[in-house]
């Protein structure tokens, strides 16, 4: 930072000169980074291939801020640099870097960063619109002029959230399932992240990086054109790959048998469907061309940096009516498969004897 201000002062002092001249006050190279992230498939998530921008806060050896929330841009295989450039301290002092994406003002919650421990994101809440949820990535590193001026600083980003995708299929040709949306119901929606624990090499420490309160929310995706299920699992998200990014947590499942209206706020997945037999008989809901939610309980443990794909198979059932339904919450939509017990009555013999006699002929 001293170098940057020195450049500004020198430029001001030379402003009255009669000749236009550019003088490089700092003879070294600007601070640059090399990056990597865990590979993933979400079109809007950050990967090594599509990472073009991240933000860095830096601290000097005393713990004082060197720069804050500075945008570094670049692409895979190239150096990531800032504009304006920031330079290494001339005394070869070590800098500590905290890097993240997206920018802190878009993440939500309160970010607090320092040179030592106590790097946290407090009261993080995923956006209610799944398509607007962020893929929060974070990395930390140290560097100094003699080691990193030429090569750049390596940043190994990790995903801080859990990614959730929902798919569905139906191989039972006796029924037609049309879908208009999906809901991830009653999951913890506010938490605090300890970045230091999140990047720990100890599995137990990493697992405790997130602490959550008791607040729960539903995350709903709906669309205007129905999607008809077939035997191939298809994504129920708004667009393929546009998945939910939610707080890692242990889910507590909804129990429709004992808590049909879900007073205990158990977790579940719901699909907005219209169900008919192949001959057009309406199964669910009770009005033609309308849609209603069918639900199934989930109790997965979502871990940080993992992607979870739920595939709902409607081939042998249709789940339970959504617990928020005002009339029949938790009621099973379809019972077991229709079966018949068959017996065939044996042919009853009905003998009709016919006597064949010979007439006597008269003379």
């Amino acid at each position: 930072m001293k170098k940057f201000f020195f450049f500004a002062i020198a430029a001001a002092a030379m402003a009255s000169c009669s000749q236009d001249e550019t003088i490089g006050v700092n003879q070294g190279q600007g601070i640059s980074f090399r990056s990597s992230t865990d590979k993933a498939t979400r079109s809007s998530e950050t990967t090594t291939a599509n990472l073009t921008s991240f933000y860095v806060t830096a601290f000097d050896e005393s713990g004082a801020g060197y720069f804050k929330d500075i945008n570094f841009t670049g692409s895979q295989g190239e150096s990531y640099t800032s504009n304006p450039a920031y330079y290494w301290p001339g005394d070869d002092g070590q800098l500590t870097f905290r890097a993240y994406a997206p920018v802190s003002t878009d993440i939500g919650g309160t970010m607090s960063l320092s040179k030592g421990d106590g790097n946290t994101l407090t009261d993080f809440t995923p956006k209610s619109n799944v398509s607007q949820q962020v893929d929060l990535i974070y990395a930390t590193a140290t560097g100094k002029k003699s080691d990193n001026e030429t090569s750049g600083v390596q940043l190994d980003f990790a995903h801080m959230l859990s990614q959730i995708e929902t798919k569905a299929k139906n191989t039972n040709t006796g029924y037609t399932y049309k879908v208009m949306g999906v809901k991830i119901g009653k999951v913890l929606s506010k938490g605090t992240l300890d970045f230091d624990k999140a990047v720990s090499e100890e599995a137990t420490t990493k697992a405790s990086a997130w602490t959550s309160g008791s607040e729960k929310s539903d995350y709903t995706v709906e669309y205007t054109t129905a999607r008809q299920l077939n035997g191939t699992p298809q994504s129920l998200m708004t667009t393929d790959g546009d998945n939910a990014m939610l707080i890692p947590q242990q889910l507590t499942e909804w129990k429709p048998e004992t808590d049909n209206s879900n007073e205990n706020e158990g977790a579940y997945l719901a699909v907005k469907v219209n169900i008919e037999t192949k001959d057009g008989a309406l199964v669910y809901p009770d009005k033609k061309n309308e849609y209603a939610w069918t639900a199934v309980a989930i109790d997965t443990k979502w871990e940080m940096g993992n992607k979870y794909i739920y595939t709902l198979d409607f081939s042998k059932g249709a789940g339970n009516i959504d617990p928020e339904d005002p009339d029949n919450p938790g009621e099973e939509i379809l019972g077991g498969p229709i079966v018949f017990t068959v017996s065939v009555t044996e042919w009853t013999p009905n003998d009709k004897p016919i006597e064949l006699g010979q007439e006597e002929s008269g003379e």
Side-chain angles (χ1 to χ4, degrees), residues 187-262:
V187 297
L188 295 173
S189 56
K190 179 179 284 190
T192 292
L193 171 62
D194 185 325
F195 287 114
D196 302 313
K197 290 182 177 180
V199 296
S200 170
E201 294 183 359
E202 295 292 332
T204 54
T205 301
K206 186 186 294 288
S208 64
W210 279 97
T211 55
S212 300
S214 58
E215 298 180 38
K216 294 186 176 182
S217 297
D218 298 340
Y219 297 95
T220 303
V221 172
E222 295 187 69
Y223 16 89
T224 57
T225 302
R227 304 174 185 179
Q228 184 167 320
L229 301 184
N230 55 38
T232 302
Q234 58 181 291
S235 176
L236 301 183
M237 313 312 288
T238 304
T239 58
D240 191 20
D242 188 19
N243 305 323
M245 294 288 185
L246 300 176
I247 295 172
Q249 59 190 276
Q250 172 63 65
L251 301 179
T252 301
E253 66 178 342
W254 169 46
K255 298 183 181 298
E257 303 85 0
T258 58
D259 184 18
N260 59 350
S261 59
N262 205 15

Side-chain angles (χ1 to χ4, degrees), residues 318-340:
N320 299 76
I321 296 177
D322 190 284
E324 297 181 4
D325 184 272
D327 299 321
N328 302 297
E331 182 177 301
E332 197 173 31
I333 293 174
L334 294 177
I338 296 173
V339 296
F340 296 93

Side-chain angles (χ1 to χ4, degrees), residues 53-57 69-72 98-104 157:
S53 174
F54 54 83
Y55 296 81
V56 181
T57 292
D69 217 21
I70 298 301
N71 185 210
F72 281 75
R98 312 296 186 193
Y100 39 87
V103 65
S104 58
F157 286 97

